[in-house]
Amino acid sequence: MVVECDDLVRMVSPHLDVVRVEQVWVAGGVVRIAACTRELTVACPDCGRASARVHSRYGRRLADVAMGGRPVVIGLSVRRLFCDSPDCGRRTFVEQVEGLTVRYQRRSPLLQHVVEMAGVLLAGRGGARLLQILKVPLSRTSKLFHLMRMPLPAVATPRVLGVDDFALYAEVYGTLLVDAGTRLPIELWAGRDAEQLAAWLRTHPGVEVVCRDGSLVYRQGISDGAPEAVQVSDRFHLWQGLSKRVGDTAAAHRSCLPAAVPDPEAAPPPPSQAAPSDQADTRARRHAKNLFEAVHAVTDTGISLHAASHQLGLNRRTVAKYARASTWQECVRRTPSRRPTSLDPYLEYLRQRWEEGEHTATVLHQEIVAKGYRDHYQRVKMAIVPLRQGLPIDTQRERPPSPRQVARWITTAPARRGLHASEGLRRLFEHCPELNQTHGLVRQFAAMLDSRDATLLPGWLEQLATSRLPALVSLANAIREDQPAVVQGITTPFNSGVNEGRITDLKLQKRIMAGRAGVPLLRHRVILMALLRRRFP
């Protein structure tokens, strides 16, 4: 099928006004276009002098974007022209059609842009599959080759720089630098040592503020490379470090955690009267007791955990667990019980209202919603089914909270806690003064973060140091070593939120490439993807 139609060709490529279309036909499922350049003057690429004197012609074969599900191939006859300027070192040159041809390239700029964007978005295999659908057959290696040819934007020295690390794989880490002003990543490399960061800062002078975590490595690198820059210890990492220490404190008082459950009979006595039971009445408890005595008989002699694990024939982690325990009861697994639900704090109220004569589930649901219940009506309806059958309501005892759950309760703002968490903390604080003290210290630090006022920080650190809680004492020592940066993190608006967002995006790009991307390819995709999202939000 042969067609002579300039309009059809202009649909394929809108930049063909400078060429003359000779034929358009379909052969072998491919739309083929034969065209030649018009007799126009063309400027020399070196000296800029216009020339129309033709030396010769030759044919170029260009691929363009598909039309109607068919690949498009343009056979273009172009001219080689003389340059008549006596001062120009170029004797001949080939004309280029803007928007259609590029030197040494066999694709139109529009198709080349599609190929590059597919690489940025989907990398190798995914990009190759997408191009196959778009009728542009290209292998994954060629796809990555075109991606790596794309130039990265020039790095402008940012005023506020964000620095954070990320895991490449296993124990290998990398460093990501982000411009906090434009919120764009600017550099990425393997490793997280101080020398690399210091070298980058020396070659990019002008950084005024650097946001980082509490890493000693980055602290040293910033001090060496940009000593005048203000270092900001990010408030997110400060709160994360405090939350971890709260979890450690709760784990150290694990024996007090059953006091958080509502049944007073299951709560242990106060610490001064607590006496762990020596009765090993089950097989698991006898095993734990025997293992505890065997481990301590070996480790109390002063040998290392590694040697003790070889001598006892146990895993090193098992030996470490029993060696750190003060009693064998700490090593016994808790018996599993039913999982607590959000309705548990309201079961007694539902029983009481049922006895008063209110048997409508909708009304009961509305009443406990007014008291803070946030779950669905269906759960209330199912909970009162035993009452309709004359059976007692399900009030099985919930299991004690884990140290992680208690740490989450303590670090959550009181206004955002549910009724279950508030009641559990109230019972727990009545039983364990150490956790009550920890809660007060956490709320003091949260008030400093909310008000951005660090005047109370020295006194707060003194309270940590004298709290006699090892986890909080170590936190006080760590903050004092980096106190100027911590003060900046509390009082200034600078933070590492942009860094965390970019690292989340970086992990997504790694997963798209199945974790096999090297650092150069990862750098290209992360930086170019951020620019692409800025252009097309």
Side-chain angles (χ1 to χ4, degrees):
M1 179 176 66
V2 178
V3 182
E4 294 186 7
C5 179
D6 286 5
D7 292 338
L8 179 60
V9 180
R10 288 191 178 92
M11 288 176 58
V12 179
S13 180
H15 301 284
L16 293 180
D17 294 337
V18 296
V19 302
R20 184 177 68 254
V21 178
E22 296 178 345
Q23 281 185 335
V24 179
W25 73 99
V26 179
V30 179
V31 178
R32 300 184 180 274
I33 302 173
C36 64
T37 56
R38 302 182 186 275
E39 301 295 332
L40 303 173
T41 58
V42 181
C44 174
D46 286 356
C47 65
R49 180 171 178 175
S51 174
R53 194 157 68 95
V54 179
H55 173 277
S56 59
R57 278 186 176 271
Y58 75 96
R60 296 188 62 175
R61 188 170 180 269
L62 304 171
D64 202 356
V65 292
M67 182 180 66
R70 299 173 184 268
V72 176
V73 176
I74 302 174
L76 181 63
S77 175
V78 296
R79 298 174 296 168
R80 180 179 292 276
L81 304 171
F82 286 102
C83 180
D84 296 327
S85 174
D87 299 328
C88 183
R90 183 186 292 272
R91 297 272 65 91
T92 63
F93 63 92
V94 176
E95 61 181 343
Q96 301 294 339
V97 179
E98 184 179 358
L100 182 61
T101 64
V102 178
R103 195 178 184 188
Y104 302 125
Q105 188 166 289
R106 301 183 67 179
R107 296 184 185 88
S108 67
L110 180 59
L111 182 59
Q112 182 64 23
H113 179 71
V114 172
V115 171
E116 292 172 350
M117 289 303 101
V120 172
L121 293 170
L122 299 173
R125 294 184 186 275
R129 294 187 184 112
L130 175 62
L131 292 178
Q132 191 72 29
I133 297 173
L134 298 177
K135 305 302 180 181
V136 186
L138 201 65
S139 68
R140 63 179 181 86
T141 53
S142 298
K143 184 85 230 42
L144 295 178
F145 171 76
H146 286 285
L147 172 60
M148 296 303 295
R149 284 179 57 194
M150 296 180 64
L152 295 178
V155 177
T157 301
R159 174 179 169 270
V160 182
L161 178 69
V163 183
D164 210 345
D165 61 346
F166 63 93
L168 279 170
Y169 49 87
E171 299 297 325
V172 180
Y173 290 84
T175 298
L176 178 67
L177 305 185
V178 180
D179 185 345
T182 61
R183 310 177 72 87
L184 293 175
I186 54 180
E187 187 54 89
L188 183 152
W189 63 69
R192 53 177 179 179
D193 57 286
E195 284 300 324
Q196 284 180 295
L197 180 58
W200 190 92
L201 290 171
R202 292 190 195 100
T203 56
H204 299 82
V207 177
E208 300 178 10
V209 180
V210 183
C211 300
R212 56 166 177 80
D213 56 12
S215 170
L216 178 61
V217 172
Y218 290 146
R219 187 194 317 172
Q220 185 63 40
I222 297 167
S223 300
D224 296 343
E228 300 84 6
V230 176
Q231 299 190 38
V232 178
S233 185
D234 176 53
R235 57 175 53 204
F236 165 77
H237 292 95
L238 292 175
W239 188 258
Q240 186 182 51
L242 176 60
S243 301
K244 183 179 183 302
R245 299 315 199 284
V246 172
D248 295 341
T249 303
H253 295 79
R254 187 187 296 270
S255 59
C256 299
L257 301 187
V261 297
D263 186 3
E265 297 179 357
S272 59
Q273 304 175 1
S277 173
D278 291 333
Q279 184 178 3
D281 52 356
T282 64
R283 181 178 180 183
R285 294 171 68 86
R286 288 193 297 271
H287 174 75
K289 183 178 180 180
N290 296 335
L291 202 57
F292 175 83
E293 295 173 352
V295 169
H296 276 269
V298 176
T299 57
D300 290 347
T301 61
I303 67 173
S304 65
L305 296 178
H306 185 74
S309 63
H310 275 282
Q311 182 174 340
L312 296 171
L314 299 173
N315 186 279
R316 186 181 181 278
R317 293 183 179 179
T318 303
V319 174
K321 170 186 172 182
Y322 280 85
R324 284 195 299 262
S326 57
T327 61
W328 63 266
Q329 289 88 343
E330 298 179 19
C331 305
V332 179
R333 285 187 179 180
R334 294 175 295 174
T335 57
S337 58
R338 78 174 183 92
R339 190 172 183 177
T341 68
S342 58
L343 187 61
D344 289 349
Y346 307 94
L347 292 178
E348 182 61 26
Y349 177 81
L350 293 176
R351 185 192 60 78
Q352 177 183 352
R353 292 289 293 134
W354 184 274
E355 294 176 353
E356 293 174 357
E358 182 55 67
H359 298 170
T360 306
T362 305
V363 176
L364 293 174
H365 176 258
Q366 293 173 352
E367 291 180 1
I368 63 175
V369 165
K371 292 180 173 292
Y373 179 67
R374 298 180 180 179
D375 216 327
H376 197 266
Y377 151 80
Q378 191 68 23
R379 179 164 288 181
V380 178
K381 179 181 176 181
M382 298 302 297
I384 63 175
V385 168
L387 296 176
R388 296 186 186 279
Q389 300 172 352
L391 301 175
I393 197 170
D394 182 15
T395 56
Q396 295 183 17
R397 176 167 175 79
E398 62 182 277
R399 61 184 179 183
S402 65
R404 179 179 296 182
Q405 187 176 2
V406 171
R408 189 182 304 115
W409 288 353
I410 292 176
T411 55
T412 301
R416 300 184 61 184
R417 291 181 194 142
L419 178 62
H420 179 258
S422 300
E423 290 298 320
L425 283 180
R426 180 186 60 79
R427 290 186 290 266
L428 184 59
F429 292 160
E430 291 175 355
H431 177 80
C432 184
E434 289 82 3
L435 290 178
N436 190 14
Q437 179 187 11
T438 302
H439 174 261
L441 293 171
V442 169
R443 300 273 46 96
Q444 291 179 34
F445 188 73
M448 284 188 280
L449 291 179
D450 292 339
S451 62
R452 290 187 179 176
D453 185 5
T455 55
L456 300 178
L457 182 63
W460 184 75
L461 292 176
E462 186 62 28
Q463 294 183 57
L464 291 186
T466 58
S467 64
R468 297 183 179 179
L469 299 173
L472 300 184
V473 172
S474 66
L475 177 63
N477 297 332
I479 291 180
R480 280 172 173 164
E481 293 177 0
D482 197 24
Q483 190 164 341
V486 172
V487 171
Q488 292 293 330
I490 296 175
T491 59
T492 63
F494 304 115
N495 59 76
S496 297
V498 179
N499 302 35
E500 299 300 330
R502 290 302 175 191
I503 287 179
T504 300
D505 180 65
L506 184 150
K507 293 176 181 177
L508 172 63
Q509 308 311 325
K510 279 182 55 184
R511 292 188 182 101
I512 288 177
M513 295 182 285
R516 294 194 292 267
V519 173
L521 176 59
L522 192 60
R523 180 193 300 115
H524 256 70
R525 290 204 63 230
V526 168
I527 295 177
L528 294 176
M529 177 67 78
L531 291 173
L532 183 62
R533 286 175 175 163
R534 179 62 58 87
R535 291 175 56 191
F536 306 102

